[in-house]
Amino acid sequence: MSGPGVLTQDQRRALLAAHNAARAEVGAAPLGWSARATEQAERWAGVLARRCALEHSQGSGFGENLFLGTLGFYDELDGVRAWEEEKRDYRGQPLTRALAPVVGHYTQMVWPSTRELGCATSSCGNNLILVCNYYPPGNYLGERAY
């Protein structure tokens, strides 16, 4: 078990580029990297490493995506790719309670009013944990991502 890993500038650039490529595909404005969102992601990644469980934080004021994958096999970009794969099930319809668990990672990535991104990693056992935070948050029931 280890605490949060500070992402390198190259990792941050790659995560931001991957998010912005997904956003560009649907006409959403690009995100900027946020120190505030990163600090929250680092704090929560540390908590998840200590708990050795994947669960969403509560009341942070950020949207949040989580990914868990085998260390050495998956990296942080695999998390973004997994979230983006949910696009196959999203056609621009309003979010519902039933739909949000199926496409919610993807829709948070491309939510039109979101402007900031911050991510961090940690590990527990043989698992990589990725936390990405978004501000302002998205995924409002009854609204569309695009």
Side-chain angles (χ1 to χ4, degrees):
M1 176 163 43
S2 74
V6 176
L7 296 170
T8 66
Q9 287 299 334
D10 285 345
Q11 288 171 313
R12 290 178 180 195
R13 276 193 286 276
L15 285 165
L16 187 59
H19 276 81
N20 285 336
R23 293 175 67 81
E25 287 179 7
V26 297
L31 301 176
W33 194 264
S34 165
R36 213 166 40 116
T38 301
E39 289 167 9
Q40 171 60 24
E42 288 172 351
R43 273 193 297 276
W44 193 243
V47 169
L48 295 178
R50 287 189 299 280
R51 292 182 181 172
C52 210
L54 207 58
E55 59 189 85
H56 283 286
S57 64
Q58 302 295 318
S60 71
F62 293 95
E64 181 179 78
N65 279 348
L66 305 174
F67 174 79
L68 182 73
T70 305
L71 270 173
F73 187 76
Y74 293 104
D75 65 21
E76 64 281 349
L77 286 177
D78 290 311
V80 176
R81 287 184 204 102
W83 301 332
E84 192 174 6
E85 285 178 12
E86 294 176 1
K87 180 179 184 175
R88 70 181 176 269
D89 295 315
Y90 188 69
R91 304 286 178 268
Q93 66 271 46
L95 281 181
T96 63
R97 288 196 186 281
L99 184 60
V102 177
V103 301
H105 300 100
Y106 170 69
T107 54
Q108 177 58 85
M109 286 177 63
V110 301
W111 200 261
S113 60
T114 298
R115 295 290 176 259
E116 300 175 14
L117 171 70
C119 302
T121 60
S122 63
S123 63
C124 175
N126 272 347
N127 293 311
L128 165 76
I129 299 168
L130 171 66
V131 177
C132 284
N133 282 329
Y134 304 84
Y135 188 83
N139 284 342
Y140 292 103
L141 296 181
E143 294 186 22
R144 304 171 194 272
Y146 52 84

